Amino acid sequence: MSAHSDFDRGHTDDLMSFLAAAPSPYHAVASVAARLEKAGFRQVEETAPWDGGTGGTYVLRGGAIIAWYVPDGARPSTPYRIVGAHTDSPNLRVKPIPDTGAHGWRQIAVEIYGGALLNTWLDRDLGISGRLTLKDGSHHLVAVDRPLLRVPQLAVHLDRGVNTEGLKLDKQRHMTPIWGLGDVEEGALIRFVAEAAGVPAAEVGGWDLMAHSVDPPAYLGRDEDLIAGPRMDNLLSVHSATAALAAVAARPELPYIPVLAAFDHEENGSQSDTGAEGPLLGNVLERSVFARGGAYEDKARALAGTVCLSSDTGHAVHPNYAERHEPGHHPLPNGGPILKVNVNQRYATDGGGRAVFAAACERAGVPWQTFVSHNAMPCGTTIGPITAARHGITTVDVGVAILSMHSARELCGARDPQLLTKAMTAFLEN
C-alpha cells in the first residue's frame, strides 16, 4: 500500500461501508439516493409532471435508480454521458411460501437467484433482507443483519468422495437453510421479519426477501492491498458511479448531461421493469428532453451524441487456474480498471468506445488494462450490449478485475475502486 502514495484508503473504507449497508438492491438504491441528496439532488416521482430546471434529479423504482444532473446552459439536444451498473447479485431468495422443514428442523424455502456459486453459501452465517409491501401499497425496507440462517454442508464422513470426486449440490434438496428446531410454523418467517421492520404482520401483502452473508467486508493480505466482501459484483461499480456523479455535479460547466443508471435483475437477464432491457432509462432520458422544451428531433440528436460506460466487474487472472484465461490478457488487481472486449457482442466495446475510455483514463492519470476471454471459455455478458441495442447509443464495457465472481464473498484490489471512480469522473465531465 505504501508504494501508492495517491491511494485514498478513505475511499475504500467508504466502499466497504456501502457494501455492508446494501444487503439487497432495495437497500443499495436507498443508500445511493441518500448520498445524492447530500450532493443536492432531489427525487422526482414518475407519476408527477417534470420541469426543465437545472440541477440534480433522480428517480427510484424498486431496486433501480436513474439520476442525472442538468448543468446551466444545457439545451434539449445536449447529449448524455451515462455510467451504467446493476444493483443485484446472485443469492438465495425467499419463496412465496417460505416456512418449511423436515426431521425436526425448521427451514426456509429459497430459490437460487442468478448464477450463484452454490458452495460459497454453505456453512456461512446468513441474515435476511429486502422489502415488505403492505396492503396499502407502501414498501418498507428490512434487514436482519445477524446470524439467522445457515445452509449446512454434509459432513465428510457421510460424503467420502467430496474431496476427490467433487461436491455435487442439488439446488432443490441441498440449499434449503435452517433457522431453528421444532415443527414447521406457517407464517413464522413473515411475522418475524415484519416485527424486525416495525410493521404489523397482518398488513403485509407481499415481500421480496433474500439471504445475505453477515460477515463484514475486510482488508486482506500482508499489506492490506486487497479487500474481501460481498456483492462487489456489482455494487462496487454502483458506489464508484455515485461518487463520480456527485463529484461532477459540483463542476461549474459541463458539456454533457451526466447520468447514473443502476438497474436491477442483470444477473438473470435484465428483462423486467427495473432491468436494463426495460423502458426505465429510455423514458427518463426522453422525459428529460421534453421537460426542457425539446421534441423528437432533439431527443434523436441527444442520443446520437451520447456515450454510455457500462461498468461491471471482470475476471482477474487466477493464479491457480491461469490456463482458463486468455494468455495475452492477464488483468491484475490494483492495475486499474479493465476495458472489456468481445467481438461477439457479449460486451459492447468497439474501437471508438476504447478511444473514449482511454482518453478519460489519461485525463484522470489512471492506468487501465484490457480483458478478453479465452476462446474456449465463452464469457458472460453485461447491461452494455442491451443498452447499446435498446437505445442506439455508443457503449463501452469496463469494470474492476476481481476473483471469486458470483461467490458469496468476492476479492478485489483495495486501490482499484478509487481508480475506477477517477476514470468515471473524467468520463462524465468531459
Side-chain angles (χ1 to χ4, degrees):
M1 271 308 204
S2 59
H4 305 303
S5 59
D6 61 338
F7 174 71
D8 179 6
R9 184 164 173 140
H11 182 95
T12 306
D13 289 344
D14 189 64
L15 166 63
M16 293 162 72
S17 296
F18 180 76
L19 294 174
S24 78
Y26 312 107
H27 290 82
V29 297
S31 182
V32 169
R35 289 163 180 258
L36 292 176
E37 291 272 358
K38 290 182 179 179
F41 283 67
R42 60 187 175 88
Q43 182 178 2
V44 293
E45 299 292 341
E46 292 184 81
T47 55
W50 292 6
D51 62 52
T54 59
T57 309
Y58 68 90
V59 167
L60 282 176
R61 183 193 288 186
I65 183 169
I66 311 292
W68 66 102
Y69 182 84
V70 179
D72 292 336
R75 304 180 303 278
S77 60
T78 297
Y80 299 94
R81 278 288 174 100
I82 304 169
V83 175
H86 67 87
T87 61
D88 59 319
S89 302
N91 59 13
L92 311 179
R93 305 245 171 156
V94 176
K95 287 184 175 180
I97 301 175
D99 299 293
T100 187
H103 306 290
W105 292 94
R106 290 175 179 163
Q107 296 175 276
I108 301 300
V110 295
E111 285 188 274
I112 310 302
Y113 178 83
L117 274 175
L118 297 182
N119 65 295
T120 68
W121 290 87
L122 302 180
D123 296 333
R124 188 178 295 275
D125 296 338
L126 305 174
I128 206 162
S129 58
R131 67 177 182 177
L132 300 174
T133 303
L134 301 192
K135 293 176 181 177
D136 63 5
S138 63
H139 301 295
H140 296 263
L141 295 181
V142 62
V144 181
D145 198 31
R146 67 169 178 84
L148 181 69
L149 310 175
R150 187 179 180 91
V151 184
Q153 186 170 348
L154 187 62
V156 68
H157 312 80
L158 304 177
D159 189 7
R160 292 291 185 179
V162 66
N163 291 324
T164 55
E165 300 170 12
L167 178 65
K168 297 178 177 63
L169 293 171
D170 183 287
K171 293 180 179 180
Q172 179 66 28
R173 294 186 296 122
H174 300 152
M175 296 304 298
T176 306
I178 61 171
W179 77 313
L181 295 167
D183 296 332
V184 177
E185 296 181 46
E186 184 178 351
L189 178 69
I190 299 308
R191 288 195 298 271
F192 175 82
V193 173
E195 182 179 359
V199 300
E203 293 301 310
V204 175
W207 54 86
D208 301 280
L209 299 172
M210 60 206 71
H212 68 272
S213 170
V214 299
D215 299 323
Y219 286 97
L220 185 142
R222 186 196 68 177
D223 299 321
E224 296 191 337
D225 51 355
L226 301 167
I227 57 171
R231 301 177 294 280
M232 291 185 186
D233 178 10
N234 188 31
L235 293 185
L236 188 159
S237 294
V238 174
H239 175 265
S240 286
T242 304
L245 180 60
V248 301
R251 304 287 194 267
E253 295 182 8
L254 291 170
Y256 305 102
I257 296 173
V259 179
L260 160 65
F263 301 102
D264 201 354
H265 301 130
E266 189 273 346
E267 296 293 358
N268 60 10
S270 296
Q271 292 183 323
S272 72
D273 68 322
T274 53
E277 199 162 333
L280 182 58
L281 176 61
N283 288 349
V284 167
L285 299 182
E286 182 175 65
R287 289 185 68 178
S288 176
V289 169
F290 293 169
R292 283 176 279 119
Y296 177 83
E297 178 72 9
D298 298 293
K299 172 194 167 186
R301 291 172 61 194
L303 293 184
T306 292
V307 182
C308 174
L309 210 64
S310 164
S311 182
D312 204 343
T313 55
H315 302 294
V317 61
H318 196 304
N320 298 339
Y321 300 91
E323 73 281 0
R324 307 285 182 101
H325 299 267
E326 206 288 317
H329 300 74
H330 280 180
L332 279 172
N334 292 329
I338 55 175
L339 178 74
K340 301 161 77 172
V341 178
N342 180 267
V343 295
N344 293 305
Q345 293 301 295
R346 302 294 285 173
Y347 305 132
T349 305
D350 63 8
R354 174 191 172 103
V356 170
F357 179 66
C361 289
E362 183 177 357
R363 287 193 302 273
V366 168
W368 58 281
Q369 310 173 82
T370 304
F371 172 83
V372 66
S373 289
H374 192 294
N375 282 326
M377 298 278 174
C379 66
T381 189
T382 67
I383 65 164
I386 294 171
T387 304
R390 180 168 181 82
H391 306 291
I393 57 180
T394 299
T395 303
V396 192
D397 271 295
V398 303
V400 161
I402 71 170
L403 290 181
S404 306
M405 186 183 294
H406 287 197
S407 169
R409 195 168 178 85
E410 297 161 323
L411 182 74
C412 80
R415 190 170 182 251
D416 279 332
Q418 180 190 9
L419 296 176
L420 179 64
T421 301
K422 287 183 175 181
M424 286 181 173
T425 304
F427 166 78
L428 289 176
E429 69 185 358
N430 192 340

